[in-house]
Amino acid sequence: MAIRSRASTRIWRPSASLIVMALYLIFLLLPIYWLVNMSLKTNTEILGSFSLWPQDLTLANYEKILTDPSWYMGYVNSLIYVVMNTVISLAVALPAAYAFSRYSFMGDKHLFFWLLTNRMAPPAVFALPFFQLYSSIGLFDTHIAVALAHCLFNVPLAVWILEGFMRGVPKEIDETAYIDGYSFPRFFVQIFTPLIASGIGVAAFFCFMFSWVELLLSRTLTSVDAKPIAATMTRTVGAAGVDWGVLAAAGVLTIVPGALVIYFVRNYIAKGFALGRV
């Protein structure tokens, strides 16, 4: 009875790791909460007082973004060139990664290293050359211009990720498929691609996220017709000053596509970490 009474009166104490994890989550979620909090306030309340939640809740900021073409077209433009870039990057990276993983040729390691060095360079280095090139050939302020510019950074990353996944697939599968009469395109699409679905998901995620958050090239290479939401958000200063509420609402809506992508490819990302290639 004494043992039971002692066990029943035992006080639960959180472990140090639990406390650290809770503080870390609060640290991560606090900026997002504050952004949502600001998006539901008026500019007068944002600038006039400090409050942990909206005193006069309003959806006018979201209404302006969803009804004003100068705002919602920024999201449309961003999604167009991001999807284009992801598709182009994967279409180029898949055969390139297969070649690096399956064949040995003169200068293969040097070529692979050269691809990665393109990823190491900051986008600012290529902003002016891309601007002059696209202006001269009539691609300035188009979605394909930004998509192709981002391929310079996303293709090397996708090749590096996919090459690691492809090396994990035994070469005997290729040989068996050829013996069974499969052509290379049929083998690659029907047999090989499903085996590296996790790698494709991881590569698509990183291509999407880089292209979605990149600002310098997308702002330099567009002006009106293809201007992305990131560029629109940096031009919110008017005669009355900065519209903080609308800017916060735009930030919240900008997080949504990335969060959805993470949700749908979360299993692939976990497998990528488990395989040690991410």
Side-chain angles (χ1 to χ4, degrees), residues 187-211:
F187 155 74
F188 194 84
V189 174
Q190 295 184 3
I191 299 178
F192 194 76
T193 300
L195 295 176
I196 58 166
S198 299
I200 296 175
V202 172
F205 165 75
F206 281 103
C207 290
F208 183 95
M209 294 309 298
F210 171 83
S211 190

Side-chain angles (χ1 to χ4, degrees), residues 1-52:
M1 295 294 293
I3 297 176
R4 287 184 181 178
S5 62
R6 230 181 260 133
S8 61
T9 58
R10 185 178 297 168
I11 300 175
W12 178 80
R13 292 184 177 87
S15 62
S17 60
L18 184 62
I19 295 175
V20 172
M21 182 61 68
L23 292 175
Y24 180 66
L25 289 176
I26 293 174
F27 176 76
L28 290 180
L29 295 177
L30 182 60
I32 298 177
Y33 168 74
W34 204 254
L35 188 67
V36 175
N37 182 30
M38 290 179 59
S39 69
L40 298 174
K41 295 180 178 180
T42 61
N43 280 337
T44 303
E45 184 178 351
I46 293 173
L47 299 175
S49 62
F50 177 86
S51 59
L52 297 178

Side-chain angles (χ1 to χ4, degrees), residues 218-233:
S218 59
R219 182 177 181 179
T220 304
L221 301 177
T222 60
S223 59
V224 178
D225 294 336
K227 185 169 68 173
I229 186 59
T232 305
M233 291 176 64

Side-chain angles (χ1 to χ4, degrees), residues 78-89:
S78 296
L79 286 173
I80 290 175
Y81 74 68
V82 166
V83 172
M84 291 175 64
N85 169 260
T86 303
V87 172
I88 296 173
S89 297

Side-chain angles (χ1 to χ4, degrees), residues 19-241:
I19 295 175
V20 172
M21 182 61 68
L23 292 175
Y24 180 66
L25 289 176
I26 293 174
F27 176 76
L28 290 180
L29 295 177
L30 182 60
I32 298 177
Y33 168 74
W34 204 254
L35 188 67
V36 175
N37 182 30
M38 290 179 59
S39 69
L40 298 174
K41 295 180 178 180
T42 61
N43 280 337
T44 303
E45 184 178 351
I46 293 173
L47 299 175
S49 62
F50 177 86
S51 59
L52 297 178
W53 50 81
Q55 303 297 323
D56 184 18
L57 190 144
T58 178
L59 297 176
N61 299 321
Y62 291 97
E63 182 181 357
K64 180 176 181 180
I65 291 176
L66 298 176
T67 57
D68 188 347
S70 64
W71 278 103
Y72 68 74
M73 283 306 299
Y75 291 98
V76 175
N77 292 331
S78 296
L79 286 173
I80 290 175
Y81 74 68
V82 166
V83 172
M84 291 175 64
N85 169 260
T86 303
V87 172
I88 296 173
S89 297
L90 291 179
V92 174
L94 279 169
Y98 183 85
F100 280 117
S101 66
R102 287 297 189 263
Y103 304 113
S104 296
F105 50 90
M106 183 179 297
D108 55 350
K109 292 183 175 59
H110 298 288
L111 180 59
F112 193 76
F113 176 75
W114 175 77
L115 282 173
L116 293 180
T117 56
N118 287 340
R119 185 63 182 85
M120 298 173 188
V125 175
F126 302 99
L128 183 59
F130 274 130
F131 175 80
Q132 186 175 16
L133 176 63
Y134 289 157
S135 298
S136 60
I137 62 177
L139 284 181
F140 178 75
D141 198 21
T142 60
H143 302 102
I144 190 63
V146 184
L148 291 177
H150 287 175
C151 285
L152 183 65
F153 302 93
N154 283 339
V155 169
L157 180 64
V159 170
W160 179 69
I161 293 174
L162 291 171
E163 191 268 345
F165 280 89
M166 291 179 180
R167 281 191 182 275
V169 179
K171 293 183 179 180
E172 289 76 12
I173 294 179
D174 306 40
E175 298 169 357
T176 303
Y178 297 149
I179 292 174
D180 291 341
Y182 279 80
S183 63
F184 178 77
R186 184 184 173 197
F187 155 74
F188 194 84
V189 174
Q190 295 184 3
I191 299 178
F192 194 76
T193 300
L195 295 176
I196 58 166
S198 299
I200 296 175
V202 172
F205 165 75
F206 281 103
C207 290
F208 183 95
M209 294 309 298
F210 171 83
S211 190
W212 180 256
V213 303
E214 198 281 326
L215 172 61
L216 181 61
L217 288 176
S218 59
R219 182 177 181 179
T220 304
L221 301 177
T222 60
S223 59
V224 178
D225 294 336
K227 185 169 68 173
I229 186 59
T232 305
M233 291 176 64
T234 60
R235 302 170 185 172
T236 56
V237 180

